[in-house]
């Protein structure tokens, strides 16, 4: 017996049971029972086929309820007892659970349906609703700009709601590299479009005005001081002008007081730190060059220095010092001395060495300029020139005279209550001032003395000791002067000099009466003396910034030129005779006389004076030569005179008659003739009378 039972297909959906689903399930159960009975189940004759499991669509879920447009999400079906399909064509395995990736490339809500069908063609379903995000593209920036022909411009636009959120760029003219647009060479309007890469139906546009090309500006070179004084006004910064451009200045600190919008500004420095000055140049197409910058370091203003000099100095003494406390790094120190004091070393540093004049008072003046070249008021101090040495006020003399007393060593005063402990090496002896910032001491006989001072604050904590050295030297010798003390009238090729100062210094010379012939602008000049009087050589030294110190001066006395002397000597001298003299007329005070004799004549006394004593040679002629130099050392042509050396007369042999008649006249007596020019003196004794010859 067979029984055919027809059952409508069932649709089983996930989720809570509905009346329809409950009916289908009940009907399916009854149908299965009838089918089993028809096939001999339950004890009938013949075999009964196994029942077909009902399909179950448990769920269909989306991993992202609102995925980005164009992005992927996962549909995860859960079902059993059948073959599942999803209505977008994704086939699910017949067993277990699997997932299906889906691309969200539609707009609005979309319902996905999981259909599970068993072998009996019974189906069950489950659904999932997915609504992709809405794609949008924001406005293009910059909006509606003006761009110079053939130049580039960077544009931005923000896309949202998509998988990549990127935009692609296009335009009616010009070319693109990413979001950088190169304008066409032809001026006019160009439409630029930003399109979503996820949804090409979403796009925004803007219109660009392409302007005729103008020359691009160049990065300006900003000129400003490397260093400026704190809070200084009236400072300048500038750039070269560029045609048709505008200028915008900024300052990192400090204040621009005038010139904004021009190629040069005036500004005021801040109290400290550094200042960065920046200028941006923009052409008429609104294209800006890279800003140019310059930095000025703000330095403290120089302060009026306190000059330290000895209260009293010995007349004409060398090796004296004057000093000020060092100020900020890079400061310059310009010194001057009044009343004939002479700087011998140290110009440009904080300590100078100088030579005192013969009398009066000397005022030492020091002007300190900071590294920016701005000078404070000069500091001054006065030394009284005295006959005998008095205690000097110095930091530590570089050189001290052997065994000298009353020397000083000092340090700059520190806080109130500080203590000062001094030591001297190598036999130097402290005679006063121990415990103070300045002590008095006596030098040893030789060597080097190291003065050491340890300063402790009021709490008794000591810093490392400071030291300075003094070299013990013999008594000072006459110094080398800058110009000759005496110069010959109208002499050329004379020199005047000063100690060279820092590199870049300038030297301006003037002479009263004399004439500069070479070297103007250098430390050494060549000059010509006037005919008479006194010449004052003056030199003004200016540092590299052009700030000049007071002029230094020195004097030369003009003396008459020596004249060629007239030498007086005997016309004839006896061979080998001693005690002979030669002389010239005396010339100006201080003149020197240099003698020489030719042919073996010997000077025996008087060399260097206007008259010499000399001895004749055995024969020949002797030329006496005398060169006279004036007090300036300039010699005239030598004067000369010649003496002829003659033989000494010999004892004559007198020839007379052996016998003569009494009272006879006309008798003769003779001797043999000797050298030319010899004289013969006759006498007769006992009444004989010379009548001729």
């Amino acid at each position: 017996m067979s029984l055919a039972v027809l059952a409508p297909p069932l649709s089983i959906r996930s989720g809570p049971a509905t009346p329809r689903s409950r009916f289908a399930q009940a009907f399916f159960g009854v149908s299965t029972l009838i089918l089993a009975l028809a096939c001999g189940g339950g004890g009938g004759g013949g075999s009964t086929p196994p029942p077909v499991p009902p399909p179950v669509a448990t769920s269909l879920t989306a991993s992202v309820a609102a995925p980005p447009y164009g992005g992927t999400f996962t549909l995860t079906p859960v079902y059993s007892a059948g073959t599942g399909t999803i209505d977008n064509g994704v086939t699910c395995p017949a067993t277990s659970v699997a997932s299906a990736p889906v691309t969200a490339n539609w707009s609005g809500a979309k319902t996905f349906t999981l259909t599970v069908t068993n072998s009996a063609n019974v189906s069950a379903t489950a659904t999932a609703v997915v609504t992709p995000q809405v794609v949008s593209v924001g406005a293009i920036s910059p909006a509606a700009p003006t761009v110079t022909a053939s130049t580039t411009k960077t544009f931005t636009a923000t896309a949202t709601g998509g998988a990549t959120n990127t935009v692609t760029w296009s335009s009616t003219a010009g070319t693109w590299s990413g979001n950088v647009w190169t304008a066409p060479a032809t001026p006019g309007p160009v439409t630029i479009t930003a399109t979503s890469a996820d949804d090409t139906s979403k796009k925004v546009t803007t219109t660009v005005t392409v302007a005729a090309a103008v020359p691009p500006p160049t990065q300006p070179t900003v000129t400003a001081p490397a260093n400026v004084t704190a809070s200084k006004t009236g400072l300048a910064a500038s750039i070269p002008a560029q045609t048709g451009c505008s200028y915008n200045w900024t300052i990192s600190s400090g204040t621009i007081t005038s010139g904004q919008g021009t190629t040069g500004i005036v500004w005021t420095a801040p109290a400290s730190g550094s200042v960065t000055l920046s200028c941006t140049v923009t052409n008429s197409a609104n294209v800006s060059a890279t800003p140019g910058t310059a930095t000025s370091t703000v330095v403290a203003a120089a302060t009026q220095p306190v000059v330290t000099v000895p209260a009293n100095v010995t007349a004409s003494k060398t090796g004296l010092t004057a000093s000020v406390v060092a100020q900020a790094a890079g400061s310059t120190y310009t010194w001057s001395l009044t009343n004939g004091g002479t700087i011998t070393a140290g110009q440009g540093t904080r300590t100078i060495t100088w030579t005192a004049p013969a009398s009066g008072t000397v005022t030492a003046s020091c002007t300190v300029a900071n590294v920016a070249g701005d000078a404070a008021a000069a500091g001054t101090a006065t030394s009284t020139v005295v006959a005998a040495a008095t205690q000097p006020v110095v930091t530590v003399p570089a050189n001290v005279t052997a065994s000298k007393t009353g020397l000083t060593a000092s340090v700059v005063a520190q806080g109130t209550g500080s203590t000062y402990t001094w030591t001297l090496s190598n036999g130097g002896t402290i005679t006063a001032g121990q415990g103070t910032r300045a002590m008095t001491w006596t030098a040893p006989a030789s060597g080097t003395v190291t003065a050491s001072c340890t300063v402790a604050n009021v709490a008794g904590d000591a810093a490392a000791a400071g030291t300075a050295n003094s070299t013990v030297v013999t008594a000072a010798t006459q110094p080398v002067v800058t110009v000759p003390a005496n110069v010959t009238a109208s002499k050329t090729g004379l020199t005047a000099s000063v100690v060279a100062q820092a590199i870049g210094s300038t030297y301006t010379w003037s002479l009263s009466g004399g004439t500069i012939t070479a070297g103007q602008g250098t430390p050494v000049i060549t000059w010509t003396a006037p005919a008479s009087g006194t010449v004052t050589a003056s030199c003004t030294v200016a540092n590299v910034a052009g700030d000049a110190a007071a002029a230094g001066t020195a004097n030369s006395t003009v003396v008459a030129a020596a004249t060629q002397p007239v030498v007086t000597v005997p016309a004839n001298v006896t061979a080998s005779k001693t005690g002979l003299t030669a002389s010239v007329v005396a010339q100006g005070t201080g003149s020197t006389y240099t003698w020489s004799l030719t042919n073996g004549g010997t000077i025996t006394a008087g060399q260097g004076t206007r008259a010499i004593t000399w001895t004749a040679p055995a024969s020949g002629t002797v030329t006496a030569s005398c060169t006279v130099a004036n007090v300036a050392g300039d010699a005239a042509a030598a004067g000369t005179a010649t003496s002829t050396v003659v033989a000494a007369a010999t004892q004559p042999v007198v020839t007379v008659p052996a016998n003569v008649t009494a009272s006879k006249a006309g008798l003769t007596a003779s001797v043999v003739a000797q050298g030319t020019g010899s004289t013969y003196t006759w006498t007769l004794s006992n009444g004989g009378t010379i009548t001729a010859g």
Side-chain angles (χ1 to χ4, degrees), residues 262-684:
T262 71
T263 58
I265 59 168
V266 179
W267 57 287
T268 298
S272 61
S274 63
V275 178
T276 298
L277 296 150
S278 176
C279 185
T280 301
V281 180
T282 304
N283 66 10
S284 58
N286 203 33
V287 175
S288 297
T290 302
T293 61
T295 299
S296 295
T297 300
V298 179
V299 296
T303 59
Q304 183 176 21
V306 177
V307 178
T308 300
V309 294
N312 300 285
V313 294
T314 301
S316 304
K317 182 172 179 179
T318 63
L320 299 167
T321 61
S323 64
V324 294
V325 175
Q327 297 193 27
S331 295
T332 58
Y333 306 83
T334 303
W335 290 87
S336 65
L337 294 177
T338 64
N339 197 35
T342 305
I343 298 172
T344 56
Q347 181 63 276
T349 71
R350 73 179 191 89
T351 302
I352 59 167
T353 304
W354 57 285
T355 297
S359 62
T361 59
V362 176
T363 297
S365 173
C366 182
T367 301
V368 181
N370 62 11
V371 71
D374 294 319
T380 62
T382 299
S383 292
T384 300
V385 179
V386 293
T390 60
Q391 179 178 355
V393 179
V394 293
T395 302
V396 166
N399 298 285
V400 294
T401 301
S403 305
K404 181 172 181 179
T405 62
L407 298 168
T408 61
S410 64
V411 294
V412 176
Q414 297 189 26
T416 303
S418 295
T419 58
Y420 307 84
T421 304
W422 292 89
T423 61
L424 289 177
S425 67
N426 197 34
T429 306
I430 298 172
T431 56
Q434 181 61 278
T436 70
R437 74 176 193 86
M439 61 89 172
T440 306
W441 57 288
T442 298
S446 62
T448 300
V449 177
T450 299
S452 174
C453 182
T454 301
V455 181
N457 63 12
V458 69
D461 296 322
T467 62
N469 295 330
S470 292
T471 301
V472 180
V473 296
T474 57
T477 59
Q478 182 179 8
V480 177
V481 297
T482 303
V483 293
N486 299 283
V487 294
T488 300
S490 304
K491 182 174 180 180
T492 62
L494 298 168
T495 61
S497 64
V498 294
V499 176
Q501 297 188 30
I503 294 172
S505 296
T506 57
Y507 307 83
T508 304
W509 290 88
S510 64
L511 291 179
S512 63
T515 305
I516 298 172
T517 57
Q520 181 62 276
T522 72
V524 181
I525 60 168
T526 304
W527 57 285
T528 299
S532 62
T534 300
V535 176
T536 298
S538 174
C539 181
T540 300
V541 182
N543 62 13
V544 71
D547 296 322
T553 62
N555 296 331
S556 291
T557 300
V558 179
V559 296
T563 59
Q564 184 177 23
V566 177
V567 179
T568 301
V569 293
N572 297 285
V573 295
T574 301
S576 304
K577 184 172 180 179
T578 62
L580 298 168
T581 61
S583 64
V584 295
V585 176
Q587 296 192 29
T589 303
S591 296
T592 58
Y593 306 84
T594 304
W595 290 87
S596 65
L597 293 177
T598 64
N599 198 34
T602 306
I603 298 171
T604 56
Q607 181 62 279
T609 71
R610 73 179 191 85
I612 60 168
T613 303
W614 58 288
T615 298
S619 63
T621 59
V622 176
T623 298
S625 174
C626 182
T627 301
V628 182
N630 64 8
V631 70
D634 294 320
T640 62
T642 300
S643 293
T644 300
V645 180
V646 296
T650 60
Q651 184 177 21
V653 176
V654 179
T655 302
V656 293
N659 298 285
V660 296
T661 302
S663 302
K664 184 177 181 177
L667 297 170
T668 62
S670 64
V671 294
V672 176
Q674 296 193 27
T676 302
S678 295
T679 59
Y680 304 86
T681 304
W682 293 87
T683 61
L684 290 177

Side-chain angles (χ1 to χ4, degrees), residues 181-206:
W181 178 63
T182 300
T186 303
V190 174
T191 299
I192 289 180
T193 302
T195 302
S196 169
D198 299 302
D199 184 354
T200 57
S201 68
K202 303 299 174 63
K203 59 186 67 180
V204 294
T205 63
T206 190

